[in-house]
Amino acid sequence: MNKSSLFKELFVNIKTTGAVTFSSKSLVNKMLSFAEFKGAKVIVELGGGDGSITKGIIERMDKDAVLYVFEISEHFCDNLRKKYGSDNVVIICDSAENMDKHLEGNPVDLFLSSLPFSLIAKESRTAIYEKSSLMLKPTGFFIQICYSYLLRFQFATHFSTIKTAFTLKNFPPAFIMVCNT
């Protein structure tokens, strides 16, 4: 899938992608700088999109780690499978609210998310928050890119510690929420 097809998918399904452009390399690097990849064996990406975060995760994760990438767009899933699908990179074309069915109870070291929670129905986003916090190892992190600081208050219901960073090096500028239980 070429870049113009990816952009078309981005705009055609803006309610599910929640973005006007893909995450900048600077934003991806800043987000991933908060993650401890050394020793992380189970990593989950919520919202694989064009694969810009996926690529960064794969470059940083241990060889024996497994990355599960959740994405609901068939077009994005096909692209992700072609680019990154392997024994330790599992592309799952399903909603993140069904993560427990795919992860089979495996505790998660890292959640890395770019899901547009502001656009996701309350029932679905609550299920994602609850399942993420329950599946996260006590030493793990849930790291979220978002465009509204107000999401911090939703995360606070499910995570005991939340640190916030901000970057102007993205369009639009973005917050990064780093949460743990």
Side-chain angles (χ1 to χ4, degrees):
M1 183 180 267
N2 62 33
K3 203 67 165 173
S4 63
S5 295
L6 291 173
F7 270 107
K8 181 179 176 192
E9 180 68 14
L10 185 75
F11 287 109
V12 168
N13 294 306
I14 199 158
K15 286 193 85 162
T16 55
T17 61
V20 293
T21 188
F22 297 113
S23 299
S24 69
K25 189 170 188 155
S26 177
L27 175 59
V28 171
N29 287 335
K30 185 155 187 159
M31 174 200 207
L32 298 180
S33 74
F34 294 102
E36 179 56 60
F37 287 96
K38 188 173 174 64
K41 300 303 175 212
V42 178
I43 303 168
V44 176
E45 180 184 5
L46 305 178
D50 73 328
S52 55
I53 297 171
T54 312
K55 180 178 189 272
I57 295 168
I58 292 168
E59 290 170 351
R60 291 164 174 83
M61 70 186 213
D62 291 346
K63 300 272 186 245
D64 61 341
V66 178
L67 170 62
Y68 297 91
V69 181
F70 286 84
E71 174 56 56
I72 60 171
S73 162
E74 282 285 345
H75 293 296
F76 286 151
C77 285
D78 290 343
N79 184 60
L80 289 164
R81 281 188 195 102
K82 286 176 190 161
K83 287 171 78 173
Y84 305 114
S86 67
D87 289 342
N88 68 334
V89 179
V90 182
I91 310 302
I92 301 165
C93 203
D94 195 4
S95 170
E97 67 186 300
N98 298 320
M99 69 177 78
D100 53 329
K101 295 173 185 162
H102 298 280
L103 298 177
E104 301 170 350
N106 288 320
V108 177
D109 295 290
L110 290 169
F111 280 100
L112 300 148
S113 174
S114 59
L115 290 179
F117 282 114
S118 299
L119 301 176
I120 296 174
K122 183 177 182 180
E123 184 178 289
S124 295
R125 74 175 175 251
T126 300
I128 295 167
Y129 296 150
E130 287 175 355
K131 290 176 183 183
S132 298
S133 65
L134 288 172
M135 297 181 83
L136 188 64
K137 286 184 178 178
T139 56
F141 290 95
F142 181 98
I143 304 172
Q144 172 73 41
I145 291 173
C146 54
Y147 303 102
S148 171
Y149 186 80
L150 296 176
L151 283 176
R152 179 184 174 96
F153 301 108
Q154 291 179 23
F155 294 134
T157 308
H158 304 282
F159 298 99
S160 60
T161 306
I162 303 168
K163 294 180 182 169
T164 307
F166 181 74
T167 183
L168 291 168
K169 294 182 178 180
N170 189 67
F171 180 78
F175 292 96
I176 300 165
M177 306 284 176
V178 182
C179 312
N180 63 349
T181 52

